[in-house]
């Protein structure tokens, strides 16, 4: 499984191999990660160096406090990366973009409303499908034109969810 982790403005590729070994940007790393309180305090061992840090998920990002420094970390798996790439492939500047359901599912949340200004990458809809939450994001900055769904709606693949101008 491949993940991409963006720490502040720096991006790392993380591969978890079938035998459990881990590669960071293609280099093998010996890593162990353990929750110390089942909440936010974690112990991390990287190549025989020990760290303790606080980790909290906020708005799709992890805030990591390590040695007094706060890091904003975004982790995307292969599926999320494909969704981001496919939505970024169609980013015309001044035409209406309709965000459609990439798969059938249940709308958990629509955190935007018509007329609201949005930034590229801002979450427009949270869709639950196959027991996973998928955050569908704005492919570019703009203004929400139409919201076609509400929390609790069941949607089929390709159903219009939100449009952005």
């Amino acid at each position: 499984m491949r993940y991409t982790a963006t720490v502040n403005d720096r991006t790392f590729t993380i591969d978890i191999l079938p035998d459990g070994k881990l590669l960071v940007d293609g280099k093998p790393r010996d890593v162990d990660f353990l929750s110390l309180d089942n909440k936010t305090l974690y112990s991390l061992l990287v190549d025989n160096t020990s760290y303790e840090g606080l980790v909290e998920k906020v708005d799709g990002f992890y805030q990591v406090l390590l040695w007094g420094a706060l890091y904003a970390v975004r982790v995307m798996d292969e599926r999320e990366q494909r969704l981001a790439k496919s939505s970024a492939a169609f980013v015309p500047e001044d035409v209406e973009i309709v965000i459609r359901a990439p798969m059938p599912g249940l709308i958990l949340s629509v955190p935007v409303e018509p007329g609201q200004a949005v930034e590229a990458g801002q979450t427009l809809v949270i869709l639950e499908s196959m027991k996973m939450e998928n955050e569908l994001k704005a492919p570019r900055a703009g203004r929400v034109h139409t919201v076609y769904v509400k929390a609790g709606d069941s949607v089929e693949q390709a159903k219009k969810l939100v449009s952005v101008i």
Side-chain angles (χ1 to χ4, degrees), residues 24-111:
V24 178
D25 289 338
K27 296 178 183 173
R29 298 288 185 179
D30 188 20
V31 175
D32 188 30
F33 188 71
L34 176 68
S35 173
L36 297 177
D37 64 354
N38 291 324
K39 293 181 183 173
T40 59
L41 181 61
Y42 288 86
S43 171
L44 175 66
L45 293 172
V46 180
D47 297 332
N48 297 319
T49 301
S50 176
Y51 304 89
E52 282 188 9
L54 295 172
V55 180
E56 185 174 10
K57 190 172 185 178
V58 178
D59 294 333
F61 285 84
Y62 293 94
Q63 292 185 340
V64 179
L65 182 63
L66 191 65
W67 288 354
L70 184 64
Y71 301 92
V73 180
R74 175 159 176 95
V75 179
M76 296 175 66
D77 63 21
E78 292 172 298
R79 180 185 53 83
E80 291 171 313
Q81 292 173 46
R82 282 194 302 270
L83 283 171
K85 284 181 182 176
S86 66
S87 62
F90 306 101
V91 189
E93 288 297 320
D94 56 354
V95 299
E96 183 177 23
I97 299 172
V98 177
I99 308 301
R100 296 177 182 270
M103 60 200 87
L106 176 68
I107 302 298
L108 295 180
S109 172
V110 183

